[in-house]
Amino acid sequence: MTPKKFDYYSPTSINEAIQLLHDNEDSKVLAGGQSLLALMKLRLAAPSALVDISKLQEMSYVREDKDYLGIGALTIHDIIEHNQTIKKKFTLLTDAASKIGDQQIRNVGTIGGSSCHADPAADLPTALSAVNAHFVIRSGKGQRIVPATEFFVDLFQTAVGHDEVLSEIRLPYLPPRSGSGYIKHSRREGDFAIVGTGVVLTMGDGNVCKDIRIALGAVSATPLRAKSAEEYLKGKTLDDKNIADAAEIANEGADPPSDMHGSKEYRMEMIKVFTRRTVKLAMSRVM
Ligand SMILES: Cc1cc2nc3c(=O)[nH]c(=O)nc-3n(C[C@H](O)[C@H](O)[C@H](O)COP(=O)(O)OP(=O)(O)OC[C@H]3O[C@@H](n4cnc5c(N)ncnc54)[C@H](O)[C@@H]3O)c2cc1C
């Protein structure tokens, strides 16, 4: 199928993009086009106009600020995968980006596009939820900053309004003795996740868990925090038994679909398996 007719704009600044979105009802931002164009070809989306921000180079960067690492919304998955600062400080994002589709997708798809598309099975939204990333959203009225817990609203829905642009994603620095990991469980290399698990943890004295965030992908409409498992582990020694006990309750609140890739029951079991493995992966990376 071919897309319905649409107008096309190529703004030269974020402000111009925001104005074009404001002026064109039912318009949409175009970033890498990896998700949006496919939907348009299937006529599952039919925007009146596309506001193509892909040439706004000022929106592609990885920048160290005093309190956070800032990633421009147009930064492609390939850059996230290979950036050394990200690898050192937020290794789970390296894990997640490296598992997205294939190299062609990673050369074009953007972290902002993946976040705004908000596919529940996507890799970066789950990893960003574990980091508790903050999303900078710009509009004609200025900018607002939304935490991950409020950014992913529902299935394919985020806090970004029609005439708004996601400009940056901020990753608050982790305290000393922190580590992180993301594991994607899929049937074949490059497939979407059957279950995705992201973990960020901070150790206290000895092997005691001071803080932990566990995010699950592909098991509910939005990335899901495994709060019961997190609470169970806080203040406890991270030994095999405690990690296994926490993994047993990690699927509380999950409501995964049954489809050709796996039944609901299978996914509920896989949440336990991959939570256990990802906590251990994050522990092995504590610096
Ligand atoms: C074959 C294939 C395999 C894939 N496999 C995976 C996979 O394994 N894991 C995975 O996570 N993803 C996968 N993807 C999706 C891929 O990561 C896309 O890059 C991503 O979902 C969308 O990014 P994009 O830059 O292409 O966004 P686009 O398609 O351009 O946009 C997606 C949506 O976000 C909006 N948008 C984009 N940028 C902004 C912004 N800055 N501000 C406001 N709104 C914005 C658009 O209006 C649109 O609604 C796959 C895609 C394909 C085609």
Side-chain angles (χ1 to χ4, degrees):
M1 257 201 273
T2 52
K4 279 197 173 168
K5 259 183 101 170
F6 57 87
D7 292 328
Y8 174 84
Y9 299 99
S10 182
T12 53
S13 68
I14 299 190
N15 286 343
E16 190 188 345
I18 290 167
Q19 190 61 48
L20 283 163
L21 290 166
H22 183 76
D23 293 346
N24 288 274
E25 211 182 322
D26 294 331
S27 54
K28 265 194 163 302
V29 169
L30 178 70
Q34 296 301 294
S35 298
L36 180 56
L37 296 182
L39 289 178
M40 288 171 65
K41 284 182 191 160
L42 292 167
R43 299 215 173 181
L44 293 170
S48 63
L50 288 184
V51 177
D52 182 357
I53 60 170
S54 64
K55 295 187 190 76
L56 300 182
Q57 274 312 305
E58 70 268 27
M59 285 180 69
S60 171
Y61 56 86
V62 178
R63 200 174 286 154
E64 288 188 71
D65 203 275
K66 193 165 85 52
D67 302 319
Y68 59 83
L69 187 71
I71 304 181
L74 270 186
T75 309
I76 57 170
H77 306 324
D78 184 69
I79 291 180
I80 309 277
E81 177 185 352
H82 293 105
N83 181 279
Q84 290 306 309
T85 308
I86 293 177
K87 189 170 184 180
K88 191 167 161 219
K89 296 183 188 287
F90 298 98
T91 322
L92 85 168
L93 281 195
T94 312
D95 297 336
S98 70
K99 296 292 174 199
I100 295 175
D102 54 32
Q103 188 61 52
Q104 282 166 307
I105 306 290
R106 296 195 291 275
N107 283 345
V108 185
T110 65
I111 189 169
S114 182
S115 302
C116 293
H117 185 56
D119 186 324
D123 300 294
L124 286 172
T126 306
L128 291 170
S129 295
V131 174
N132 195 20
H134 285 57
F135 296 78
V136 182
I137 301 171
R138 281 180 54 177
S139 73
K141 296 186 194 119
Q143 75 172 36
R144 58 200 177 96
I145 300 173
V146 176
T149 44
E150 293 166 26
F151 183 82
F152 299 105
V153 173
D154 207 340
L155 195 67
F156 299 109
Q157 268 183 51
T158 69
V160 182
H162 163 254
D163 55 0
E164 295 185 312
V165 171
L166 173 66
S167 62
E168 183 180 78
I169 296 168
R170 294 181 178 173
L171 315 180
Y173 292 129
L174 304 176
R177 303 212 66 218
S178 294
S180 69
Y182 174 85
I183 300 182
K184 171 181 189 166
H185 172 47
S186 60
R187 203 161 280 271
R188 296 171 311 181
E189 187 75 15
D191 278 1
F192 272 92
I194 295 174
V195 170
T197 44
V199 171
V200 174
L201 57 79
T202 305
M203 305 293 273
D205 291 336
N207 229 9
V208 172
C209 173
K210 193 170 172 192
D211 197 13
I212 184 163
R213 284 189 299 271
I214 303 170
L216 309 171
V219 302
S220 62
T222 60
L224 181 73
R225 286 274 297 282
K227 294 270 188 189
S228 301
E230 292 177 0
E231 288 310 317
Y232 182 84
L233 285 174
K234 278 182 205 166
K236 288 205 174 69
T237 305
L238 285 184
D239 56 24
D240 283 355
K241 181 180 181 312
N242 284 334
I243 294 171
D245 287 348
E248 280 301 308
I249 52 172
N251 62 11
E252 272 182 33
D255 185 20
S258 282
D259 61 22
M260 60 191 267
H261 301 296
S263 64
K264 176 174 179 159
E265 293 72 26
Y266 173 72
R267 286 171 198 248
M268 290 296 262
E269 280 306 307
M270 290 304 104
I271 292 172
K272 299 179 192 174
V273 172
F274 285 93
T275 296
R276 202 168 60 230
R277 290 184 191 175
T278 316
V279 170
K280 288 186 177 179
L281 176 65
M283 271 179 75
S284 73
R285 289 169 170 171
V286 166
M287 289 191 298

